[in-house]
Each structure stands twice: as structure tokens, then as C-alpha cells.
Amino acid sequence: MPDAVVVRVDPEPIHTASAPDTWWRHAVIYQIYPRSWADSDGDGIGDLPGITERLEYLARLGVDAVWLSPFYVSPQNDGGYDVADYRDVDPVFGRLEDADKLIATAHDYGLRIIIDLVPNHSSSEHPWFQAAVRAAPGGRERARYIFRDGKGASGELPPNNWLSNFGGPGWTRVTEADGRLGQWYLHIFDVTQPDFDWNNDEVQAEMEAVMRFWLDRGIDGFRIDVAHGLVKRAGLPDGVTRQQPTGEPTSSQPMWDQPGVHDIYRSWRRLLNSYNASGPDAEIADEDRILCAEAWVHPPEALARYVRPDELHQSFNFDFLLAPWLAPELREVIEHTLRVADHVGAPQTWVLSNHDVVRYATRLGYPARAGLLRLSGIGADDPQPDAALGLRRARAAAAVMLALPGSCYLYQGEELGLPDATQLPDEVRQDPTWRRSGYTQRGRDGCRVPLPWLADSPSYGFGPSARSWLPQPPSFRELAVDQQDGVHGSTLELYRAYLSARREHGLGHGGLYRVDGYPDDVLALVNAPADNDRLILILANLGPDPVPLPKDAQIIVASNPLTDDGRVPTDVAVWAALAPAI
Ligand code: GLC
């Protein structure tokens, strides 16, 4: 590679710039897993008052909104994704008044609040399910869930071959009032998470009432849990068994991505529009309340159906999360998913980590493809990641994501460069995946460990006591907020710089262009705001050799230091302003 590079910006945009006036089209949204963010009362479990006390931290970080994983009343068999009462707060997290205070305080800071809606299933402790088990087969109570007679001479076999996502069968048999084994109920997740029957009018009406309950309390939107799972194929046919990326078999198809889900989302969009003062067709939609799908749907064309203009606002781009750290594949995913979303007029919604996957600072600490195989949790006896490599790449990956047009979701602690806890003792694991998989899949506890705030306090400042519902690894000490705050070069300061530059340069609503002139293992793109007076080069070097920047490029931010002669080393990403004439 020569000392300076002459780049050519492709005049044909991958994506065209848009107006900045619709907040959710370019927002940065921070996910809080309430159990693990901040504990106000010292019981070792995070809570709503803990969040409210520290919202200033998020305002200073520079995010636009917060998504809270569930805090509803729940036996917590799946970290709160097993809801027993959708209209109240679990005592472990506080009270309803605490939710109100959190919402109001967030709004005072200019932060929007998105909460999790769990419509696919309830907890088995939900009064509806309790009533369903007590009721006779065929009645109204059972019709809200998916109860079926078993196969075999005496109904001893499950109604079909569907598996639970957490391992084991997807059906469990109940004992009827007369003491005999009776019908089976479907649970795509844990045995304590019975699936609702979305053909049932009462289910539909109840969930819309729940949405109104929270919208009336002032929340700004919902993240929809398992959005691709609500409707099952009529007749509940057997599924085809497939391998997951983790190597686990999963029966697929008939419970995922059925056309009927789109009718539900059209109805929900009408509901949301009734709250949006500006209405569906207004030019200024800055007050919009939104819906974001968690839909593990592939290909992107199928995912785009969830964000058609009369359906949901956003849908996580999991193809991006799943892409290996290889420039050609990242380039392909970015370009293709943007084009597909553009086709339906939706923004792209980028994400790299969440509470269900191994944090990317850890995944990227493995060879490019091996990281993906570790998506479902790492134990002490597994190969361990190269932490320094993972952090270096994670800082670069964040630069790529945060420079892209569309909305971005951050997962709590990624701004600190937190890795997964990869050496948790198996006895402390709480994710039902570990048990239900017959102790073969470690599950998701490693990414859910409570955050470190203060290096020299008990529980690293997570709460006022030494308690922490999962043990924090010693590596969290030097990553604590107080070790990074104000420290030049820290990951926290780097994220603050990314977010402020993203806002200043309007990257979230810029146009995106391909750049020629670099080798294939260098990801090079240009983001240009609508007026095109500044071109921002995004360059991530995933190749083996340092690469030069174009002449006169002015660096805005770099994920790690450049070489002494100003080249971009391996696994470093840079944003740099280019002269418009290039
Ligand atoms: C979603 C959640 C996950 C939960 C599952 C069942 O995938 O993100 O945490 O276990 O749904 O509700």
C-alpha cells in the first residue's frame, strides 16, 4: 500500500440521506437489564430506583432513549420474561410509583423510555394460566393458551415435535382436576412460559389494554419480545429439525414468522398512531411513540415485512450482530440490509450485543468465525477469548455501527468495554437454558453480570452492599465507571466521543456511499449528510497491515491510536472528514 491513498467515492449511494426530524429513525437507544444495572437497596438485584438515580450517566453518555428489559411482576424464571402481572412492577424492582418516577425523571433529562412487551407467552403464575390449568379441556380459560390433546393411545405423546428454545420438548402435560394426566400446553421457551393463542380475541384485547396502560403512564414505546413467534401455523404441523449456529438442534418454521403476525402489528400501529399527535402521515414525527421488533428472522427481506409503513417502526438487525469480523461480510450485510429496509421506507436498526448473546467484546476475542459458535455462553472449561484483542475490535466495531445511518441499540456496559463473565461457576447460573439443555448450553448469564461503577467499593458500586446476584469477575474492577470517567482513551470516553460526533455530523440520517481504493479487508464507507458539505470517511482496518488515510483527511475520532506515521493499524476504526471534492 502506498504512503497516501487516493480514494474514490462511488457517486451512487447505498442509502440516501434523510431529514433529521423523526427521532427514532436515527436514535441511539441504550438497553438496561434492570436486574444488573444499579441496585438501590443492597439486595444484590438491580431495581428501578437504582436506575432513576443514575439516569444522569446516560444523559451524559449522549443516548436518546433507554430500553428497559421487563420489570413486571414475575417469578423470574427467565429474568422477568415470564410475566405474571403486566400492569404492575415486581417487588424486587420496586413499585408502580417507581416506574412513574423513572419515566418522569428520564423525560426531564430528555431521554425517552421504551419498555419490553412480552406478548408471546405469560408466566405459568399468571392468573389466566392458573385458571386454564384448573378449567376443563375445551373451555374459555384454556382457549387463551395452546392446549391440545396428546398423540398416542392415551395421549401420552406430545401433540407435535416442537422443541423448546431453551432445550427439551416444547410441550408439557398437565394433571386434570380428576387427578389424571390430561392435555398438553405449548411453551416455546421455558416450561413456566406458556404460549398464548393469538387467534383468541381475549388475548388480543388484553395485550392492547396492557399497551394502553403503559402508554398512558407516558412511556415512549415498546420493544416486542419474540415478535416473530406470536402466530403459529394452523394445525400446528411438525417442524423440520435444524441446527442452530451453536450446533444445537431446534425445530423451526411452523412457530416462526407466520404471515398472521403482520395483522397484529398493523393493529398495534393504529393503536400507537392514536397516541402520536403528529399522526401517521405528518412530516414532523418527533413525538412519536414506537414499536421495535425482536424478530430473529432471516433473510432481511422477510424481516423488512415487520417494518412496512403500517407496521412496526424498528426491527433489530440481527444479521449485523451475527456477521463475523471480516470486512467483505460486514460490507455485504451493511449494504444489503440498508437497501432492503430502504425498499419499505424503514430505518435500519443496528445492534451488536444484548442480554441474550455473548457480549461482542468477548465474541471478537476469538478467531473471526469461532466467536459466533460461542453465542450461547462460555464456561470456564471452554477455550477462553483473547480479552485485549476482543476489546480492541469491539471499540472498532462500535465505530462502524455508530457511523451508520439508522438507529443503534447499545447494551449496558458495552460503553465500558465489558466482556462476558466467561468463568462463572456453573452452580450460580440462573438461565433456564443451562438446566433445560441437560447442562450442555451454558446460557446467557455471562452477559448479565451486574455493572461495575466504583472500583474500590463492594460489588464494584453496583449497590450499597457486597451482594450481586451473579458474581462479578475481577476484570470488572479496572473497567468500572470511575476508572474510565474523564480518562482520555478509555472506552467510556470513546463512546462519549462517538455519540457526540455522530450527533454533530448527523451521521444517523446521512447518506452512505461505497469507497474504492482500499484492499478488500478494509471496510471503507462515506457518510454524507443531506447537504453534502462534509463527507465523513468511516474506515475500519480488518486486514493485517496498517493502511494510510487519504491526504488531508481530518481525524474526528479513532478507536485506538494510529501508527507514528499516521496509518490505521489492524483492528482500528477511524472517522475522518474529507474535503467534498474527493
Ligand atoms: C426473548 C428475550 C429473551 C427471553 C425470550 C423468551 O428472546 O430477549 O431474553 O428469554 O424472549 O421471552
Side-chain angles (χ1 to χ4, degrees):
M1 196 91 206
D3 287 349
V5 63
V6 179
V7 297
R8 183 182 156 272
V9 180
D10 191 340
E12 198 55 45
I14 300 164
H15 167 85
T16 321
S18 58
D21 49 14
T22 311
W23 73 272
W24 49 269
R25 290 183 171 270
H26 53 83
V28 176
I29 301 175
Y30 183 99
Q31 179 189 359
I32 289 183
Y33 191 68
R35 292 177 76 78
S36 303
W37 204 61
D39 172 19
S40 72
D41 58 12
D43 67 355
I45 302 178
D47 47 45
L48 300 189
I51 296 171
T52 306
E53 277 167 20
R54 301 191 196 191
L55 283 172
E56 189 192 355
Y57 169 81
L58 294 181
R60 206 174 141 212
L61 181 60
V63 300
D64 302 287
V66 177
W67 151 35
L68 297 165
S69 282
F71 49 74
Y72 309 108
V73 175
S74 161
Q76 304 288 325
N77 290 327
D78 183 23
Y81 284 94
D82 46 327
V83 181
D85 181 353
Y86 288 87
R87 292 182 179 78
D88 207 350
V89 173
D90 195 279
V92 84
F93 298 126
R95 297 177 306 155
L96 205 46
E97 292 76 9
D98 296 319
D100 291 339
K101 189 159 174 219
L102 192 163
I103 296 164
T105 311
H107 287 166
D108 288 346
Y109 279 115
L111 296 167
R112 292 177 164 92
I113 293 288
I114 293 169
I115 67 171
D116 228 298
L117 187 68
V118 189
N120 181 67
H121 46 262
S122 71
S123 159
S124 52
E125 291 186 18
H126 190 287
W128 275 12
F129 189 74
Q130 297 280 309
V133 172
R134 282 194 307 267
R140 171 182 166 191
E141 285 84 0
R142 289 218 171 161
R144 296 163 178 153
Y145 293 90
I146 304 183
F147 278 85
R148 293 289 184 276
D149 293 332
K151 287 184 178 162
S154 54
E156 72 281 12
L157 299 173
N160 68 23
N161 70 353
W162 295 5
L163 299 175
S164 156
N165 243 35
F166 295 156
W171 295 89
T172 291
R173 202 170 184 190
V174 296
T175 304
E176 305 291 359
D178 62 6
R180 294 192 202 179
L181 283 174
Q183 287 196 304
W184 299 72
Y185 69 89
L186 177 68
H187 52 87
I188 295 194
F189 293 91
D190 190 51
V191 61
T192 62
Q193 292 169 298
D195 283 56
F196 285 120
D197 185 343
W198 271 88
N199 294 314
N200 183 286
D201 291 345
E202 275 191 275
V203 170
Q204 296 178 16
E206 169 64 2
M207 211 49 76
E208 293 207 359
V210 165
M211 292 170 78
R212 286 183 192 283
F213 176 88
W214 288 102
L215 289 164
D216 290 343
R217 295 195 102 83
I219 58 119
D220 300 286
F222 296 98
R223 173 264 190 189
I224 302 160
D225 190 57
V226 201
H228 55 317
L230 274 52
V231 175
K232 279 73 183 176
R233 192 175 296 163
L236 309 182
D238 278 347
V240 184
T241 297
R242 274 200 199 148
Q243 295 292 116
Q244 289 182 332
T246 54
E248 266 295 277
T250 175
S251 68
S252 61
Q253 265 97 312
M255 73 287 268
W256 301 132
D257 195 29
Q258 298 300 305
V261 293
H262 298 291
D263 295 333
I264 300 171
Y265 300 136
R266 282 190 199 101
S267 162
W268 289 7
R269 181 62 176 256
R270 285 194 295 276
L271 191 161
L272 269 274
N273 285 345
S274 74
Y275 279 82
N276 290 341
S278 51
D281 303 319
E283 282 174 19
I284 308 273
D286 210 34
E287 297 303 316
D288 274 3
R289 318 232 195 154
I290 65 159
L291 298 165
C292 174
E294 184 225 14
W296 291 85
V297 167
H298 186 80
E301 288 75 3
L303 187 64
R305 290 200 276 269
Y306 289 74
V307 286
R308 286 177 286 196
D310 58 348
E311 296 196 37
L312 309 176
H313 301 77
Q314 302 177 331
S315 187
F316 294 119
N317 183 345
F318 290 126
D319 279 5
F320 180 66
L321 181 151
L322 293 170
W325 187 239
L326 296 167
E329 295 190 35
L330 283 169
R331 188 180 301 122
E332 166 63 22
V333 168
I334 292 169
E335 293 189 11
H336 184 64
T337 58
L338 268 174
R339 288 207 166 100
V340 170
D342 279 346
H343 196 67
V344 291
Q348 198 42 271
T349 303
W350 311 99
V351 60
L352 285 165
S353 290
N354 63 35
H355 65 294
D356 288 330
V357 297
V358 169
R359 288 175 177 276
Y360 68 103
T362 296
R363 276 187 274 137
L364 296 179
Y366 291 94
R369 287 186 202 284
L372 281 182
L373 295 177
R374 306 249 158 245
L375 263 185
S376 74
I378 298 163
D381 53 2
D382 286 320
Q384 295 295 302
D386 176 338
L389 178 69
L391 179 58
R392 180 179 175 85
R393 289 177 171 174
R395 290 164 58 110
V400 172
M401 176 172 83
L402 290 167
L404 294 174
S407 182
C408 299
Y409 278 71
L410 305 179
Y411 178 51
Q412 61 177 35
E414 74 172 78
E415 79 283 11
L416 303 175
L418 284 194
D420 250 48
T422 57
Q423 310 215 15
L424 281 178
D426 287 338
E427 320 73 84
V428 305
R429 293 189 188 281
Q430 305 209 10
D431 183 352
T433 307
W434 177 228
R435 188 175 27 83
R436 285 194 63 84
S437 68
Y439 306 102
T440 57
Q441 299 291 310
R442 274 342 193 299
R444 303 159 293 175
D445 296 301
C447 63
R448 299 175 175 179
V449 173
L451 247 59
W453 294 85
L454 304 167
D456 293 319
S457 292
S459 70
Y460 298 135
F462 168 57
S465 77
R467 295 170 70 187
S468 157
W469 69 280
L470 286 171
Q472 298 157 300
S475 65
F476 273 28
R477 186 181 179 282
E478 62 176 350
L479 297 172
V481 174
D482 71 341
Q483 299 299 293
Q484 303 201 38
D485 191 14
V487 176
H488 180 72
S490 72
T491 305
L492 178 57
E493 291 302 336
L494 183 68
Y495 266 73
R496 286 176 177 157
Y498 288 153
L499 293 179
S500 109
R502 176 182 162 91
R503 194 181 296 265
E504 183 192 338
H505 297 285
L507 301 183
H509 45 87
L512 201 69
Y513 297 79
R514 200 178 292 141
V515 174
D516 299 329
Y518 282 103
D520 203 36
D521 48 16
V522 173
L523 182 68
L525 296 162
V526 153
N527 185 322
D531 49 16
N532 233 13
D533 66 346
R534 282 203 109 176
L535 302 179
I536 310 296
L537 174 72
I538 308 146
L539 186 140
N541 182 6
L542 283 71
D545 305 313
V547 292
L549 285 166
K551 198 160 158 289
D552 297 333
Q554 290 171 7
I555 295 177
I556 298 167
V557 60
S559 67
N560 265 307
L562 305 195
T563 60
D564 290 344
D565 62 354
R567 291 167 187 242
V568 182
T570 302
D571 292 329
V572 171
V574 172
W575 298 353
L578 302 178
I582 288 181

